[in-house]
Amino acid sequence: MRGGCSLGPARIGPTKMEYNCPNCGAPIHFHSRVAIYTTCTHCLSNIVRRDMDLEKVGEVSELLNDMSPFQVGTKGHYKEKWFQLLGRIKVSYSRGMWSEWYALFEDNSQGWLAEAQGLYMMSFEQKQIPIPPFNQLQLDQRFPLGDETYIVDDRREITYLGSEGELPYMFKQNFKGYSTDLRGPNGKFLNFLYGPEGDQAFLGSYQPFDEFNFTNLRKLHGWN
């Protein structure tokens, strides 16, 4: 086992809370105690958890199959800790789309695994980072953060297409927001998201696919 981590992927074991869909009665499971939103896999109803009760708040479009190797339940390793993917959001912009996966770690911390164009990035929300207005950041502009400097790589308008699994907030299909990506030293990156939860900052780093030690991946043609 890499990194001296005490828990292997089979022992992450977030507590499973069992419910029934208020629309069709199918079983619904929450693994994260902070997750409040999920999608019924049977009828595609949007379900919000309010204390011990579930409420249907609409329906979400079914996500089309893509070439992502991940699925709800995939487990991996990042910075000496194991995590499990509980849900994802599909996001589009003018040149394509990508997925953001909600990750629950063995210590109950939360992160987001992004996969885009063969790159894999894990990030964590940082509430202490000041967030500039979207229009104040331009391409190649420098942004100081502590002793480090980040450079604006990309800025785009985005649309939330669909979701699956558990999420820590209510998903808003077709919501249009903005995103700014900045690259930092040693594979680090910074993202400013102007989305459905308001303005948010996320700090993280790139990591090669093999270093995540993923298990329970989707079976894709041509993958070993």
Side-chain angles (χ1 to χ4, degrees), residues 13 20 32 35-36 60-61 63 77 80 91 104 115 122-123 135 141 152 181 187 191 207 222:
N20 292 101
S32 169
I36 64 167
V60 67
S61 299
L63 289 177
H77 186 272
E80 301 185 355
V91 185
L104 180 66
E115 52 167 336
M122 182 68 78
S123 65
N135 290 331
Q141 182 175 336
V152 179
D181 292 335
N191 169 256
Q207 181 166 289

Side-chain angles (χ1 to χ4, degrees), residues 204-220:
S205 64
Y206 295 88
Q207 181 166 289
F209 181 89
D210 289 344
E211 291 186 12
F212 281 100
N213 286 352
F214 287 116
T215 63
N216 194 27
L217 293 168
R218 285 179 56 202
K219 293 182 179 181
L220 298 174

Side-chain angles (χ1 to χ4, degrees), residues 51-52 56 101 169 174 181 205 208:
D51 295 325
M52 296 302 295
K56 177 184 175 182
W101 291 88
Y169 53 81
N174 297 320
D181 292 335
S205 64

Side-chain angles (χ1 to χ4, degrees), residues 20-171:
N20 292 101
C21 175
N23 184 59
C24 71
I28 288 179
H29 308 294
F30 279 89
H31 295 82
S32 169
R33 293 193 177 278
V34 300
I36 64 167
Y37 177 92
T38 192
T39 302
C40 175
T41 57
H42 183 74
C43 67
L44 298 182
S45 293
N46 297 337
I47 305 298
V48 173
R49 184 177 58 159
R50 307 185 191 280
D51 295 325
M52 296 302 295
D53 297 322
L54 299 186
E55 177 185 348
K56 177 184 175 182
V57 292
E59 294 183 357
V60 67
S61 299
E62 185 173 7
L63 289 177
L64 297 177
N65 289 332
D66 54 23
M67 291 302 293
S68 172
F70 307 132
Q71 60 185 343
V72 172
T74 291
K75 297 178 182 179
H77 186 272
Y78 177 81
K79 302 290 187 184
E80 301 185 355
K81 292 189 295 185
W82 291 100
F83 63 84
Q84 179 174 337
L85 302 182
L86 299 185
R88 74 160 162 166
I89 297 172
K90 195 78 170 180
V91 185
S92 72
Y93 67 115
S94 61
R95 300 196 301 275
M97 61 185 64
W98 78 92
S99 290
E100 297 275 356
W101 291 88
Y102 172 50
L104 180 66
F105 282 78
E106 60 182 282
D107 60 359
N108 289 320
S109 60
Q110 305 168 78
W112 290 90
L113 175 67
E115 52 167 336
Q117 301 175 343
L119 299 175
Y120 303 92
M121 305 86 78
M122 182 68 78
S123 65
F124 306 87
E125 185 174 5
Q126 306 292 320
K127 295 184 179 297
Q128 76 278 12
I129 295 179
I131 304 173
F134 176 73
N135 290 331
Q136 284 189 7
L137 291 176
Q138 304 300 322
L139 290 178
D140 298 323
Q141 182 175 336
R142 294 176 176 271
F143 182 86
L145 182 61
D147 297 330
E148 300 175 332
T149 298
Y150 289 75
I151 300 174
V152 179
D153 256 350
D154 198 6
R155 53 194 306 276
R156 61 182 83 96
E157 182 179 11
I158 59 176
T159 302
Y160 289 73
L161 294 180
S163 70
E164 64 174 317
E166 298 174 40
L167 297 173
Y169 53 81
M170 186 171 167
F171 175 76

